[in-house]
Amino acid sequence: MVKQSTFGWLLVNLLSFYHRAPKWLRLISFELMEQLVSSADLYVVQTEFTVYTLLRYWMALKLFPDEGTTDGLEHPKERYFAERTSSVPFLSTPEGVPYERVFRALRLHNLLNHHVDIRVLRQDNIIPIEWLHKPLMQQWTNVLTIDQSLDKPIACEDRVFLESCIRCGRILNENVLHKWRWTGFHFGLDLLLSSDTRSLRIRRHHRTENERLLSLRVARQFLVRVSLASLNELRQIKHQQTSPILSISLEKNEETQLVVFDRELTFPLLVSVNMMLVAPPEEAIAAAAASGKGAESKEKDQATAAAAAAATTPQASERAPNQSVEGTGGNGPVESLDGGSSASSSNRMLANES
């Protein structure tokens, strides 16, 4: 029970806290990090690219343990990867091979929906370009299929959804109206999320001046799951709420409610959203079916990995108070959230819209 609780603590706090606590991030083992990054229950702050930048930071901490670090600031050697003169991807070098399995846990197809993210991936030259060929072909095939309105309704088992979905999230500091979108190309869907005092809603935003970039289907269907968590001063979960996997169909500019907040939830509030906007590839379905046979052994592996988490979890007196990594919204404007950081890419927040 303690091991599971510790692992659950890390799933919620890895992206929202550990990027500001290098001395604790460095202690996370290869096995434990792989388990965390691969989990569908990981609370991703902003987008999947945030997970990539965290892994890059964690790897720099591991490779250069003697370099001084300051909480919340870029590691002095984090630019080491982009500044290497060798054309060999870092994960293909002898010093990079031990990190390969952790980076394999990234959902690569979800790192390829923004041109800045792709540019950073190429500049860093950490991930071999060969890893990206298949995801790129899958994404491009999906784009062409949707452009010709040949896409079919998405239906899959829960396990397939959890292992393939897009992972996004944010922190709501105050109990006020928030409106936002996550940046990047989402296969012709411009999805706006809004949170009032007690619920979360989603809207298919469709403006005529952007029609060529948006799906022209009258109705678009997709799958979504929402997880919410309130933390105490020790960043332990006070209350958590998770919706079932919902099948949503929205017409242009239509809006629907995703979840009504439990009364026990308090602010600041962590919001984790898992989405599937296109049908999963056939190999994902086959892999999920195969992995189902070994589900019990995988759970045992997670429990073993969680045992190591106790050593990487800061004591109560050393944990930072619950803070947001991005600003809160006011009445009206729509925030556009990306997965980059000042250390990894330029600020690409889109212009706010009313």
Side-chain angles (χ1 to χ4, degrees):
M1 181 65 70
V2 174
K3 295 177 182 178
Q4 292 178 345
S5 177
T6 304
F7 190 74
W9 189 94
L10 286 167
L11 287 173
V12 172
N13 286 283
L14 182 65
L15 273 299
S16 61
F17 169 70
Y18 267 67
H19 74 289
R20 294 182 278 112
K23 68 177 181 179
W24 295 110
L25 182 61
R26 179 187 283 119
L27 296 178
I28 295 181
S29 68
F30 292 85
E31 181 182 7
L32 178 57
M33 184 62 83
E34 181 184 7
Q35 296 280 356
L36 292 168
V37 170
S38 63
S39 175
D41 296 323
L42 179 66
Y43 273 68
V44 172
V45 177
Q46 297 186 6
T47 70
E48 187 82 18
F49 201 76
T50 311
V51 186
Y52 168 80
T53 57
L54 180 84
L55 286 186
R56 186 183 60 189
Y57 185 37
W58 168 77
M59 188 162 61
L61 291 170
K62 290 278 193 184
L63 290 169
F64 305 101
D66 297 328
E67 289 285 342
T69 57
T70 303
D71 288 3
L73 298 180
E74 178 185 7
H75 189 280
K77 290 291 187 179
E78 195 171 357
R79 296 185 185 275
Y80 162 78
F81 307 104
E83 294 172 352
R84 291 168 58 244
T85 57
S86 172
S87 61
V88 178
F90 182 76
L91 295 181
S92 298
T93 66
E95 59 183 343
V97 166
Y99 299 89
E100 178 179 338
R101 66 176 188 175
V102 181
F103 278 82
R104 287 278 188 187
L106 285 168
R107 304 186 177 199
L108 295 177
H109 56 288
N110 295 332
L111 298 179
L112 304 173
N113 66 357
H114 200 292
H115 69 97
V116 175
D117 294 347
I118 294 176
R119 186 182 71 209
V120 172
L121 288 173
R122 297 186 66 180
Q123 289 175 344
D124 287 345
N125 197 25
I126 294 173
I127 296 175
I129 194 69
E130 292 80 11
W131 290 19
L132 304 180
H133 287 165
K134 191 170 185 178
L136 279 170
M137 286 296 293
Q138 291 171 344
Q139 299 294 66
W140 183 237
T141 300
N142 288 328
V143 169
L144 296 178
T145 301
I146 291 171
D147 183 62
Q148 298 180 45
S149 297
L150 298 176
D151 50 309
K152 299 178 180 179
I154 305 169
C156 63
E157 295 182 0
D158 289 0
R159 181 180 294 275
V160 176
F161 172 86
L162 295 174
E163 294 183 357
S164 304
C165 62
I166 299 170
R167 300 179 294 184
C168 303
R170 71 165 298 175
I171 303 172
L172 305 180
N173 266 345
E174 300 176 280
N175 190 9
V176 297
L177 176 65
H178 300 265
K179 292 183 180 181
W180 74 93
R181 63 160 60 83
W182 288 288
T183 61
F185 181 72
H186 294 130
F187 303 98
L189 284 173
D190 182 11
L191 298 174
L192 302 186
L193 284 91
S194 61
S195 168
D196 55 23
T197 57
R198 296 315 305 171
S199 68
L200 182 68
R201 304 182 66 84
I202 191 168
R203 180 172 184 255
R204 180 187 173 190
H205 191 50
H206 195 100
R207 295 174 63 164
T208 54
E209 61 266 34
N210 298 327
E211 272 199 342
R212 198 63 197 97
L213 297 175
L214 298 174
S215 172
L216 298 180
R217 273 193 182 275
V218 174
R220 277 289 299 275
Q221 179 258 355
F222 56 94
L223 304 180
V224 62
R225 183 187 74 160
V226 178
S227 298
L228 308 166
S230 296
L231 309 181
N232 62 18
E233 63 278 3
L234 303 182
R235 301 195 64 85
Q236 297 168 333
I237 298 174
K238 290 194 301 183
H239 186 75
Q240 193 168 22
Q241 177 183 358
T242 300
S243 75
I245 298 172
L246 306 171
S247 177
I248 304 291
S249 181
L250 295 178
E251 296 186 2
K252 299 173 184 178
N253 294 311
E254 184 181 2
E255 179 176 304
T256 190
Q257 182 174 273
L258 292 177
V259 63
V260 175
F261 299 161
D262 288 346
R263 291 184 177 274
E264 294 82 357
L265 289 170
T266 58
F267 290 78
L269 182 66
L270 277 70
V271 179
S272 174
V273 177
N274 306 124
M275 296 186 292
M276 181 174 285
L277 306 179
V278 294
E282 292 183 1
E283 54 267 29
I285 299 175
S291 66
K293 299 178 181 178
E296 291 185 5
S297 62
K298 184 176 181 180
E299 290 176 359
K300 291 180 181 179
D301 290 342
Q302 285 188 339
T304 302
T312 69
T313 304
Q315 298 301 311
S317 61
E318 296 177 292
R319 293 179 189 160
N322 198 343
Q323 297 178 352
S324 173
V325 297
E326 6 108 354
T328 59
N331 291 327
V334 176
E335 298 175 78
S336 296
L337 309 181
D338 63 37
S341 66
S342 58
S344 64
S345 63
S346 59
N347 186 350
R348 57 178 186 273
M349 302 290 275
L350 301 182
N352 287 342
E353 297 183 27
S354 299

